[in-house]
Amino acid sequence: MGKSLHVMLMYIVSHLGLIFFLYPDNIISSTEQGHWLPILIGITVHFIFIYIYMKGLSFFPKKDIITIYSEIGKGTAFLFIVPIFLYFIMILLITVRAYSGIITIVFLSKTPLWAIILLLISISSYIAAKGVEVMFRTVFLLSILFLPIILFIFFASFQNVDWRYAIPFNTDFSFITERSYLEGFFAFSGGFLFLGFVQPYYSYDRKYVLWAAAFLIPFFIFSVYIPVLTLGQPTSATTLLPYVVTVDAINIRWLMFDRVTMFFLLSLLSFIMLFLSLVTWKIIRILSHYLPSIKPFNLSIVLSAAVFFSCFLIPDWKDIEQLFWWNTFLRFYILITIPLSIFIFGLLKKRKDKNETI
């Protein structure tokens, strides 16, 4: 299992950090009943494209997607790598600014925003600068420390549910065009691209990644349904962080701590910082490929400074939401075209190799 375990844990951790914060609000806001259908469609799309993506990557052993596109041609590299690069930059900027705002709202209201932004960027950039080996050792350590806490709080959050709120189960497809639902796909599309960047360093079995994706299914479902079953649809739709509000209502008498919310948030934030370090590392990999004369550490410093100052160009939450919406179009381009292109190029390569051996 070896390297596959590390890849599996990275897949789980990077997605858990995205699921519990904004995803529930996106789905709850997209429809008033039958939330299972929007969730099911997202999960199905997720499985289809990660399978296509991994199948395509299997045709290019020990090569990352930068090398794959570059070997095909400059035009192809520009068509796919530039959108990937822009997407990662926007993810980094939006995630740092959004989650620093969430930290300020939830439990560090007196801490200056710039200090929180600096903390997120500095830690994630430091881990990214140390390289992929350090990142994967870190994910193993964080999984041991924080996954049990996440799982414990997740099961404890069923404490106040009223299953009658799940009725009615019926729904229509009007949510498909809702802005909030389209934004919710960030939880499905933000984390899987790293599989195409680690191939030269880590070989992995595809079935472990699929198991990791299957492991995440209950979290996608109940991160939405637990707030709905606890607070009801009308109330949960009015909250920015419905799952966090639900966790805050947990009362465990035998636990020596009054609030488990703090442990839950700190665990998720450690996963978010690891996700940010992964995105930073991928951006540096792209820059290093085209700017080989500049050391990765220097690129990391420049990137961190650029993100830090860019965050102050986003003054409030409305601007974050607007930037999040603009990124939706690029997100679907990445979600659809990157897996399909890798798969198609892989089939062409296989056919070419077969003809050469005849």
Side-chain angles (χ1 to χ4, degrees), residues 111-124:
T111 305
L113 184 64
W114 66 264
I116 299 174
I117 293 173
L118 183 62
L119 179 67
L120 290 177
I121 293 176
S122 58
I123 294 177
S124 58

Side-chain angles (χ1 to χ4, degrees), residues 44 60 111 184 210 221 252 265 276:
T44 303
F60 303 94
T111 305
L210 293 175
I221 295 172
I252 304 175
L265 292 175
L276 290 172

Side-chain angles (χ1 to χ4, degrees), residues 98-167:
Y99 283 90
S100 60
I102 290 172
I103 294 170
T104 303
I105 292 171
V106 176
F107 59 91
L108 289 179
S109 57
K110 295 183 179 180
T111 305
L113 184 64
W114 66 264
I116 299 174
I117 293 173
L118 183 62
L119 179 67
L120 290 177
I121 293 176
S122 58
I123 294 177
S124 58
S125 297
Y126 176 77
I127 297 174
K130 288 295 183 178
V132 67
E133 292 285 344
V134 171
M135 277 196 300
F136 277 86
R137 286 197 295 267
T138 303
V139 75
F140 190 78
L141 176 62
L142 292 181
S143 299
I144 294 174
L145 292 175
F146 296 121
L147 265 181
I149 296 175
I150 295 292
L151 291 173
F152 171 75
I153 296 175
F154 176 72
F155 287 110
S157 63
F158 284 88
Q159 182 184 72
N160 301 313
V161 300
D162 185 345
W163 293 101
R164 291 173 296 179
Y165 282 131
I167 302 171

Side-chain angles (χ1 to χ4, degrees), residues 215-227:
F215 175 80
L216 292 171
I217 291 176
F219 298 99
F220 279 113
I221 295 172
F222 289 108
S223 66
V224 174
Y225 266 99
I226 287 176

Side-chain angles (χ1 to χ4, degrees), residues 28-88:
I28 292 171
S29 300
S30 67
T31 182
E32 295 183 357
Q33 60 184 19
H35 301 89
W36 63 271
L37 184 57
I39 300 170
L40 179 62
I41 291 175
I43 292 172
T44 303
V45 170
H46 182 62
F47 268 90
I48 289 172
F49 283 104
I50 61 171
Y51 180 80
I52 292 173
Y53 186 51
M54 290 190 296
K55 183 63 177 179
L57 290 171
S58 67
F59 296 118
F60 303 94
K62 299 298 182 181
K63 291 184 180 180
D64 60 13
I65 62 175
I66 305 173
T67 305
I68 294 170
Y69 287 131
S70 298
E71 289 180 350
I72 293 172
K74 292 183 179 180
T76 302
F78 180 83
L79 183 62
F80 294 106
I81 294 179
V82 170
I84 291 174
F85 177 77
L86 294 175
Y87 178 64
F88 286 155

